[in-house]
């Protein structure tokens, strides 16, 4: 295995790949191309799982996987490489184990790392095709730029809620939809990163579990076409998929001659600081914390969490606004004393179903305009509002104060803090 290029298939391999071998478009030569191909999948999450499973099954000889994360229970809803026994394990390690079992022909290379400007060129250097299966903008720009600089095709996919998209960025290759032109790059499609915080992640917005399976499988198909040199690669062609109504749509993408990285006079010729460029970190500290908590919970090694709270029961360093906020501990003692107040939960009904505090009145912040009449009779009473982590309830409080409500405050830290400090073990989502 992996002693130089494969020049001949052995009997086991002929047997394993015979459905490929009888396809004239693949055949013996094509299967050898697959076995000799080197593909790097950046991200071993929702997209990386189906991508690497199908590439390993197809006999792609070298598959690199780059990811820094560990497997957590909430990954299992869509990340089909992993099982309960992998919880807490490095994703690249757990993935490699599964892929080697699926196909011992494959050399699986584990890159446990955060891909950034200091390592990306070295990382992708030896691979033929790069796959972007990441979930954040700094890494996407980083991978996008590096692929242009190193002249590697970038098989890109992204998913959110019920919608996904994919395309192949390759400014060094012809655009099949525009004779005489070359393909676009990631920056041709997205010249500027979105405003920090304006685009919610899958962790914030949710994602239907089969969606990465569909988009990732289509990415794997593009990779195989590129390796074999068959069909029409999705260069210059963006395909979107809507899972709700089974709708595929395609859009033509053009290379921008003024693109700073793939244009006629590029100004970006080496990787830049992408976290600074996008104004957000590649790895969200909140999601890291969530993963650690989920893993500890699942493994029954949850330690008491009170230690990272201050003497008011607020996260250390929290900027408490006493005029606007009340702590979960204060709310708890109000409840214990039997104090009369209106307790409003301003999240969405599906969030309420995940976890709620008994006795709260559910009025989503989105409906405050229409439903303010329901609260008007309580205008002279004490009101406490909470949401998930304290931002929406502040908006809610602000709105009601503008409407003349005086004694209304937002519960700092929301139900997540409540479930940490007052109701430990209550769901964190
Ligand atoms: Zn470009």
């Amino acid at each position: 295995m992996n002693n130089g290029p494969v020049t001949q298939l052995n009997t086991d391999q002929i047997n394993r790949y015979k459905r490929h071998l009888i396809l004239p478009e693949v055949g013996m030569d094509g299967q050898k191309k697959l076995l000799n191909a080197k593909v790097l999948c950046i991200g071993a999450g929702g997209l990386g799982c189906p991508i690497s499973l199908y590439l390993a099954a197809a006999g792609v000889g070298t598959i690199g996987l780059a990811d820094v994360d560990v497997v957590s229970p909430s990954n299992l809803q869509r990340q089909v490489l992993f099982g309960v026994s992998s919880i807490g394990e490095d994703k690249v390690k757990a993935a490699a184990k599964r892929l080697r079992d699926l196909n011992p022909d494959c050399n699986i290379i584990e890159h446990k790392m955060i891909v950034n400007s200091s390592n990306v060129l070295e990382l992708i250097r030896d691979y033929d095709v790069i796959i972007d299966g990441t979930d954040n903008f700094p890494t996407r720009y980083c991978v996008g730029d590096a692929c242009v600089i190193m002249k590697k095709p970038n098989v890109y996919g992204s998913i959110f809620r019920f919608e996904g998209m994919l395309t192949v960025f390759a400014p060094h290759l012809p655009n099949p939809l525009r004779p005489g032109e070359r393909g676009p790059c990631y920056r041709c499609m997205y010249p500027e990163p979105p405003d920090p915080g304006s685009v919610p992640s899958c962790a914030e917005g949710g994602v239907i579990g089969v969606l990465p399976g569909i988009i990732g499988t289509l990415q794997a198909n593009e990779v195989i076409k590129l390796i074999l040199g068959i069909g029409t690669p999705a260069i210059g062609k963006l395909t979107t998929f809507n899972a709700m109504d089974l709708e595929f749509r395609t859009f033509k993408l053009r290379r921008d001659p003024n693109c700073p990285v793939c244009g006629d006079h590029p100004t970006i010729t080496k990787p830049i600081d992408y976290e600074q460029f996008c104004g957000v970190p590649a790895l969200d500290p909140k999601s890291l914390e969530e993963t650690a908590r989920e893993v500890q919970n699942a493994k029954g090694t949850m330690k008491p969490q009170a230690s990272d709270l201050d003497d008011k029961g607020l996260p250390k360093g929290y900027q408490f606004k006493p005029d606007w906020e009340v702590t979960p501990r204060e709310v708890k003692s109000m409840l214990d004393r039997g104090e009369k107040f209106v307790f409003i939960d301003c999240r969405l009904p599906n969030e309420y179903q995940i976890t709620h505090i008994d006795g709260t009145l559910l009025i989503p912040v989105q409906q405050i305009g229409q439903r303010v009449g329901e609260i008007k009779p309580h205008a002279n009473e004490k009101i406490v509002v909470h949401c998930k982590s304290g931002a929406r309830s502040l908006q809610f409080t602000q709105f009601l104060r503008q409407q003349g409500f005086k004694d209304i405050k937002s519960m700092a830290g929301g139900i997540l803090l409540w479930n940490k400090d007052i109701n430990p073990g209550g769901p964190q989502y």
Side-chain angles (χ1 to χ4, degrees):
M1 179 172 95
N2 301 310
N3 300 319
V6 175
T7 51
Q8 218 173 350
L9 271 61
N10 62 35
T11 314
D12 285 349
Q13 289 173 320
I14 289 172
N15 201 34
R16 177 183 278 265
Y17 303 117
K18 62 188 174 193
R19 300 287 189 280
H20 272 168
L21 300 177
I22 57 168
L23 287 172
E25 294 81 356
V26 184
M28 196 60 83
D29 285 345
Q31 192 60 50
K32 285 185 213 162
K33 283 183 189 167
L34 290 170
L35 285 162
N36 289 319
K38 295 178 178 158
V39 169
L40 173 67
C41 185
I42 301 179
L47 294 169
C49 284
I51 292 168
S52 57
L53 276 167
Y54 274 107
L55 294 182
V60 171
T62 302
I63 302 173
L65 289 172
D67 202 307
V68 76
D69 225 349
V70 297
V71 180
S72 72
S74 65
N75 295 152
L76 305 184
Q77 167 252 19
R78 63 203 178 285
Q79 300 184 15
V80 293
L81 274 170
F82 313 122
V84 172
S85 64
S86 352
I87 289 170
E89 204 173 351
D90 288 338
K91 281 189 179 175
V92 289
K93 195 168 171 227
K97 222 185 289 176
R98 170 80 179 93
L99 297 170
R100 287 175 191 134
D101 180 49
L102 171 61
N103 191 348
D105 277 346
C106 303
N107 177 24
I108 310 294
I109 303 179
E110 302 166 31
H111 301 282
K112 182 180 164 128
M113 60 195 286
I114 300 174
V115 177
N116 59 33
S117 51
S118 68
N119 56 32
V120 67
L121 296 183
E122 192 54 38
L123 174 69
I124 71 174
R125 185 180 310 274
D126 291 332
Y127 290 100
D128 309 315
V129 180
I130 312 301
I131 306 158
D132 184 345
T134 62
D135 58 358
N136 68 83
F137 291 100
T139 314
R140 285 177 187 153
Y141 277 99
C142 177
V143 172
D145 286 359
C147 285
V148 177
I149 293 164
M150 302 292 281
K151 297 189 165 45
K152 311 275 185 186
N154 173 12
V155 180
Y156 171 86
S158 73
I159 48 168
F160 183 63
R161 294 187 168 203
F162 294 90
E163 282 197 68
M165 61 168 80
L166 77 153
T167 187
V168 175
F169 296 117
H172 60 293
L173 297 176
N175 180 343
L177 299 174
R178 295 194 176 268
E181 286 186 27
R182 289 179 288 130
C185 82
Y186 182 70
R187 278 188 197 254
C188 296
M189 184 164 86
Y190 294 119
E192 297 290 336
D195 288 338
S198 65
V199 179
S201 67
C202 285
E204 292 158 332
V207 62
I208 191 84
V210 296
L211 184 62
I214 295 163
I215 301 296
T217 306
L218 292 171
Q219 284 177 275
N221 185 52
E222 288 304 311
V223 173
I224 289 170
K225 282 161 56 187
L226 285 168
I227 296 169
L228 296 175
I230 59 172
T232 309
I235 296 170
K237 177 175 175 174
L238 177 75
T239 299
T240 64
F241 171 68
N242 183 310
M244 279 298 204
D245 49 15
L246 189 66
E247 191 97 63
F248 283 94
R249 299 177 67 189
T250 60
F251 302 87
K252 288 182 180 176
L253 297 176
R254 278 187 93 159
R255 187 180 74 96
D256 175 4
N258 298 314
C259 173
V261 62
C262 81
D264 297 337
H265 306 285
T267 53
I268 297 168
T269 53
K270 58 180 198 295
I272 61 167
D273 183 335
Y274 296 96
E275 294 193 327
Q276 189 193 31
F277 176 63
C278 298
V280 291
L283 256 183
D284 178 10
K286 258 199 197 149
S287 84
L288 277 178
E289 195 193 302
E290 189 182 337
T291 301
R293 197 174 50 227
E294 278 184 28
V295 170
Q296 284 176 359
N297 249 330
K299 292 189 152 310
T301 54
M302 194 73 174
K303 294 182 201 82
Q305 294 282 307
S307 58
D308 56 359
L309 302 180
D310 65 16
D311 52 6
K312 287 201 192 85
L314 293 167
K316 282 181 183 148
Y318 187 91
Q319 299 287 320
F320 185 66
K321 299 171 263 310
D323 295 344
W324 288 90
E325 291 177 306
V326 57
T327 68
R329 285 186 192 174
E330 287 170 314
V331 175
K332 175 72 164 77
S333 62
M334 285 160 65
L335 288 168
D336 289 347
R337 286 199 300 269
E339 194 175 324
K340 199 169 162 358
F341 68 101
V342 182
F343 199 2
I344 296 174
D345 180 341
C346 71
R347 298 172 302 153
L348 291 167
N350 60 313
E351 298 181 87
Y352 181 88
Q353 283 167 5
I354 298 170
T355 178
H356 64 267
I357 303 168
D358 285 338
T360 49
L361 175 66
L362 181 65
I363 302 184
V365 69
Q366 292 84 347
Q367 298 173 4
I368 180 71
Q370 306 99 276
R371 296 182 59 182
V372 67
E374 288 174 46
I375 325 169
K376 274 270 159 71
H378 304 288
N380 296 316
E381 295 168 40
K382 186 178 208 139
I383 302 177
V384 173
V385 191
H386 85 81
C387 61
K388 181 181 177 184
S389 53
R392 281 175 283 175
S393 54
L394 262 181
Q395 281 176 21
F396 197 104
T397 300
Q398 221 158 13
F399 180 85
L400 284 193
R401 286 199 186 178
Q402 284 161 4
Q403 303 288 311
F405 287 69
K406 300 225 158 45
D407 195 0
I408 174 163
K409 283 187 176 178
S410 158
M411 187 172 84
I415 199 163
L416 294 188
L417 182 57
W418 178 275
N419 281 350
K420 193 169 182 175
D421 193 34
I422 310 296
N423 176 37
Q428 298 283 333
Y429 68 98

